[in-house]
Structure formats: structure tokens, C-alpha cells
Amino acid sequence: MNFFKALFGGKQESSEEKKQQEEARQFDTLKYDGVRAMKSGEIDFAVKCFRHALSMKDDLEIHDYLSQALIAQNNLIEAYDELQIMAEAQPDNQAIFIRMANVAFMMEDYGALSNACEKAMLIDDSNAEVMYLYGRGCIGQDDDVNAVAMLTRAITLNDKFYDAYLLRSQANLRLEKIDEASADADFLLEQVGENEDVLLLKARIARAQGNDDDAIAFYGRVINENPFREEAYRERAELRRKSGDEQGAEEDLKKADEVAPEDQKSAEDQKIQQKVEKKYREMNPYGF
């Protein structure tokens, strides 16, 4: 009897091992299929693969992949939930909190963004990207004074962080600190050349200084870089009308209407998509 028990017990154990091996194989297949799908742009299929894999086994690597796929899918709330799971499992992993801050920014949840940055700073307060994102959160909450402080810290840590210079200049312009705003804008123009965001900033600074002719010229350079920059046409139209150039103003307003989104909904969708794309690729705003 013991012989038969051992015999049948051995077969049962072998069967269980085969089952576990098959489940492990299926799990790995789902993971790799999901990664391949995500890299090839088949995001919906990737999400299905990762969710199926997680139903088989809880795995932080899969939560990581799923969060990335959900971001690409614009499913930001669920992406944030996945990141929270990861943060609870690895509370000392700063990269998780940085991604949470990025997702919070895309959701325009600036309180969550600031909270994620504060947790990231407790891990390492010498990360320029964390300071930059914190500055983003301050701007979102209309706190330009603290935004300038955080962006200055980011620049101190990384003097090539051109996005931080751009935001700091914009914040100083809103604070009517024109000299400080102009200094950053001039630095950016020297470093990155004919970038439409920098040129638009220069136009607005010239306008704030009362140099309308210079502002009009800079708006023209913005349009040369991007003929679909609606606000450049509208803001230049105001200055042209002010100078008595009614025909030029009307031409700019007509062009602004032509390049404007068809409706507000499409404008919001476009805004969200631009944020997702901006944060989904590596931070390299000026193409260097």
C-alpha cells in the first residue's frame, strides 16, 4: 500500500509541477506579448495582456508595464492607481514618484503632483527633475513665487535644464519681474535658437516692455516656425490694431480662426494628447 501511495503521490506531484510550469510559461508569454505590443503601438492589446498576467500573479514589473501602457492609452487615473501600488511596495524608489508626478500633471491634479514631489524629495533632494515638476505644480496652483524658487533650484542642479528656464521666465513675466524674465529668455534664445516657445516668450516680454514693434517682429518669427500657432496671430492682431494697421489685424484674426480647433472639445482633447506625448517621451524639449 505504501508503494502504491508513493507511486500515485509521485505522479500527483509531477502533475502539479507541470501545471506550475505551464502557468509560468503563460505568464511569461503574456508579459512578452504585452511588451512587444506596447512597443509596436498596439496599446489596447498590451493592456489586456498585462491585466491577464496580473490576474495570474501579482508582479511589480507587470504593474510597471501596465502603468506605462495606461499612460499611452490616456487612461491616467488607472495609471496613477498602478503607480500607487508600486509606491507602496517600493517606498524608496524615487523613479516611481517622479512618474506619479508626471501623471498627476497630465491630469492637472496639482495637489497630487506636489505630494508626489515631496515624497521624491525625501528620498533625494538633489534631483533637478523633481524640482522642475514641483515648480510645475506651483504654477498649476497659481503660486508663481514658489514656482520661481523651485525652478531656480532645478537650474542650480542642472544649468542645461532649458525647460526650467522657460517656465521660470514665464512665471517672472506674470510676476511683472521683466528684467528677470528677459534674462532667461535671452539665454534660451542664445542656446536653442528659433524655438517657437522662446520666440513667443520674447514677443510677450517685448510687449510688456512697451516695445510693440519688437513684439510684432517676434510674433512673426513664431509664425515662421509654426504657422498654426493661434495665439501668435491673435496677440499680434491686437498690436497691429493698436498701431493703426486695421488690415493687418483683420488678416491675423482671420488666420487665427482658420488654424483654431473646430470646437472646444477638440481643443481640450488636443491639449491632453500633447501633455501625454510630452511626458511619455524623454525630456528633451529642444531636440538636443
Side-chain angles (χ1 to χ4, degrees):
M1 182 175 179
N2 289 339
F3 172 79
F4 285 106
K5 182 176 181 181
L7 180 64
F8 290 123
K11 287 183 177 179
Q12 184 177 2
E13 183 179 357
S14 176
S15 176
E16 183 64 27
E17 287 177 354
K18 287 182 179 179
K19 180 182 177 182
Q20 291 176 358
Q21 290 173 359
E22 177 61 21
E23 288 179 351
R25 187 191 66 79
Q26 290 178 3
F27 180 86
D28 287 340
T29 298
L30 287 166
K31 178 174 74 172
Y32 294 126
D33 282 352
V35 171
R36 281 195 294 268
M38 186 165 62
K39 288 181 177 179
S40 64
E42 300 175 62
I43 304 302
D44 292 346
F45 180 70
V47 168
K48 289 179 181 178
C49 288
F50 296 141
R51 289 196 190 281
H52 192 175
L54 286 173
S55 72
M56 299 178 66
K57 181 176 70 173
D58 192 48
D59 183 271
L60 283 181
E61 185 180 17
I62 301 299
H63 284 294
D64 185 4
Y65 286 136
L66 179 56
S67 74
Q68 295 177 54
L70 289 168
I71 291 170
Q73 197 182 48
N74 275 0
N75 195 342
L76 301 178
I77 294 176
E78 291 189 27
Y80 195 87
D81 291 341
E82 293 298 319
L83 291 168
Q84 284 186 313
I85 293 170
M86 294 168 60
E88 290 172 5
Q90 296 183 346
D92 294 327
N93 188 334
Q94 189 182 59
I96 296 172
F97 293 104
I98 290 175
R99 193 182 300 170
M100 291 176 76
N102 280 318
V103 172
F105 168 65
M106 289 185 278
M107 293 192 297
E108 299 186 355
D109 186 341
Y110 301 113
L113 190 162
S114 297
N115 183 58
C117 287
E118 287 168 5
K119 290 180 179 178
M121 288 170 64
L122 290 174
I123 299 168
D124 179 8
D125 64 358
S126 63
N127 188 308
E129 184 181 3
V130 173
M131 305 306 167
Y132 168 78
L133 288 168
Y134 209 152
R136 277 278 193 195
C138 293
I139 290 172
Q141 298 178 84
D142 297 321
D143 185 0
D144 283 324
V145 172
N146 280 318
V148 168
M150 298 308 300
L151 294 166
T152 299
R153 289 184 65 182
I155 291 166
T156 300
L157 291 166
N158 179 3
D159 63 1
K160 301 297 184 183
F161 206 151
Y162 298 142
D163 248 6
Y165 286 97
L166 183 69
L167 287 188
R168 186 172 71 174
S169 181
Q170 292 169 342
N172 273 322
L173 181 58
R174 287 190 295 271
L175 291 169
E176 298 182 356
K177 294 184 177 181
I178 308 302
D179 290 342
E180 290 90 337
S182 184
D184 279 343
D186 289 341
F187 172 79
L188 285 173
L189 196 61
E190 178 183 341
Q191 296 296 314
V192 304
E194 299 289 294
N195 175 275
E196 63 179 278
D197 291 323
V198 177
L199 293 170
L200 184 62
L201 177 60
K202 284 288 295 180
R204 289 170 174 171
I205 291 171
R207 185 175 181 178
Q209 293 171 326
N211 299 327
D212 290 355
D213 289 342
D214 288 346
I216 288 172
F218 274 114
Y219 283 125
R221 289 165 68 179
V222 174
I223 292 165
N224 286 339
E225 288 299 305
N226 181 3
F228 300 96
R229 196 72 187 244
E230 178 189 355
E231 63 263 52
Y233 290 109
R234 295 199 187 280
E235 291 174 26
R236 188 173 68 173
E238 293 176 10
L239 294 181
R240 282 181 160 177
R241 177 162 286 127
K242 179 182 174 183
S243 69
D245 182 5
E246 288 292 337
Q247 181 178 348
E250 289 302 320
E251 289 174 355
D252 276 348
L253 290 175
K254 181 180 179 181
K255 191 64 179 179
D257 289 339
E258 289 176 1
V259 301
E262 292 182 3
D263 53 54
Q264 187 62 32
K265 181 177 183 299
S266 66
E268 289 302 314
D269 290 345
Q270 187 180 65
K271 181 180 177 183
I272 293 170
Q273 183 63 30
Q274 288 171 349
K275 285 183 180 179
V276 172
E277 291 174 353
K278 178 179 174 65
K279 296 300 180 182
Y280 193 62
R281 62 180 182 261
E282 291 183 357
M283 290 193 76
N284 191 13
Y286 298 113
F288 296 123

